[in-house]
Amino acid sequence: MSFSALDSSMMARALQLAERGLWTTSPNPRVGCVLVRAGEIVGEGWHEKAGEPHAEVHALRAAGERARGATAYVTLEPCSHHGRTPPCAEALIAAGVARVVAAMGDPNPLVAGRGLTLLQAAGIETASGLLENEARELNIGFVSRMTRGRPWLRLKAAASLDGKTALNNGVSQWITGPDARRDGHRWRARACAVLTGVGTVRDDDPGLNVRDVDTPRQPLRVVVDSRLETPPTAKILAGGGTLIFAAVDDAERAARLRAAGAEIVFLPNPRGKVDLAALLQELGRRGINEVHAEAGSKLNGSLLREGLVDEFVFYLAPCLIGDDAAGLFSLPALTTLADKQALKILDLRQIGADIRLIARPS
């Protein structure tokens, strides 16, 4: 299906609106809507927060009677089911819009084409696929949860140019500069959950909250701690609500951590470690769309070996630390280069004095 230049520009505007909900819509998708009549924008809106009106409703309210006969540009297929809010497809029908262009279909099994079908049955012209890749990237975590039952896992790491993350005495602050750290906090703020391992908790005592950028909400903090070795005084427990995944049920340690405000979930694998795949499934069940992993080489290596890393965000500082320093991943030695993990680089740019590289497994 062909689209006009006006179609493309209006969908681009809808995507800009959708991005305003980047940090607030979870567990819902980020959606924008623009209503256009006779070449003029008559209403626009975006989904701001779960439980509140969807993008289409905001746009229709802004347009009022001018919505009749208009084209609605929506970054995601209008919903067709009753959830926390009524179906947006029905609202568009009632407003008398003439045409609906969706960037992509809704991967939610409760919708999955039913929204567009409902509109077509009401005599409304529909089209989809305009700027679909951009819309999918904006909601990559929601798509992952709907189609795979688990969130999108983005692994962030900061290292020297020779791939070292800390000195052999454990000192790691700060390899990268303030601009890179601030950029890292933007990725942390975007995520629904921040994941780390107990080794990082013991060695660095991080808070793993969003500090360097303004955010309307803090992501859930998640710790992989097979033997419940997290100190009850750890900063990551401050404020309560931290989720600890364990493999060994030590009643005394568990009681101390619960008293410190942590929730504990036991998910052992046959080796007595936390089942990482099951962990992600559990986070998906809880409505987590995107996970931001900031961990040490052991957990990083385990996530990579089990095929659970969907995306890498690497910050590389213009320095060299040496062979004895800690590396990015704890992985078994390879005997052939054919076994190397190939990556596809999506973005490469300078952030302050450092380099940021975004890549995905090939």
Side-chain angles (χ1 to χ4, degrees), residues 43 50 123 133 182 232 243 249 273 287 314 341:
N133 289 338
R182 190 175 302 110
L243 184 58
D249 190 354
K273 301 290 187 180
F314 292 129
Q341 172 67 70

Side-chain angles (χ1 to χ4, degrees), residues 54-142:
H54 290 184
E56 297 93 325
V57 174
H58 284 298
L60 289 170
R61 287 176 179 174
E65 284 301 315
R66 294 180 299 171
R68 189 164 300 279
T71 294
Y73 297 91
V74 192
T75 59
L76 187 70
E77 176 187 0
C79 62
S80 57
H81 66 292
H82 286 268
R84 297 185 187 182
T85 58
C88 291
E90 292 183 2
L92 291 166
I93 293 170
V97 301
R99 179 175 178 239
V100 174
V101 180
M104 61 177 288
D106 192 334
N108 186 342
L110 296 175
V111 184
R114 295 181 182 88
L116 293 177
T117 299
L118 190 63
L119 294 167
Q120 292 162 3
I124 295 174
E125 180 187 348
T126 66
S128 64
L130 177 60
L131 300 183
E132 180 174 0
N133 289 338
E134 291 83 351
R136 186 173 295 274
E137 285 296 320
L138 187 61
N139 282 308
I140 195 74
F142 178 76

Side-chain angles (χ1 to χ4, degrees), residues 293-305:
E294 291 192 31
S297 62
K298 289 184 179 179
L299 181 54
N300 285 349
S302 295
L303 290 167
L304 185 58
R305 284 195 308 273

Side-chain angles (χ1 to χ4, degrees), residues 148-199:
R148 302 189 299 178
R150 70 170 182 86
W152 182 264
L153 192 144
R154 184 178 291 113
L155 191 151
K156 174 260 181 182
S160 60
L161 284 182
D162 52 349
K164 303 301 180 180
T165 61
L167 302 180
N168 59 10
N169 62 6
V171 174
S172 62
Q173 297 180 342
W174 297 101
I175 290 178
T176 53
D179 293 328
R181 295 199 296 274
R182 190 175 302 110
D183 189 69
H185 274 251
R186 292 190 184 96
W187 288 102
R188 191 185 286 183
R190 169 178 173 150
C192 311
V194 178
L195 175 71
T196 195
V198 66

Side-chain angles (χ1 to χ4, degrees), residues 15 27 38 43 49 84 89 96 143 261 265 277:
L15 285 165
K49 189 177 180 180
R84 297 185 187 182
V143 172
V265 176

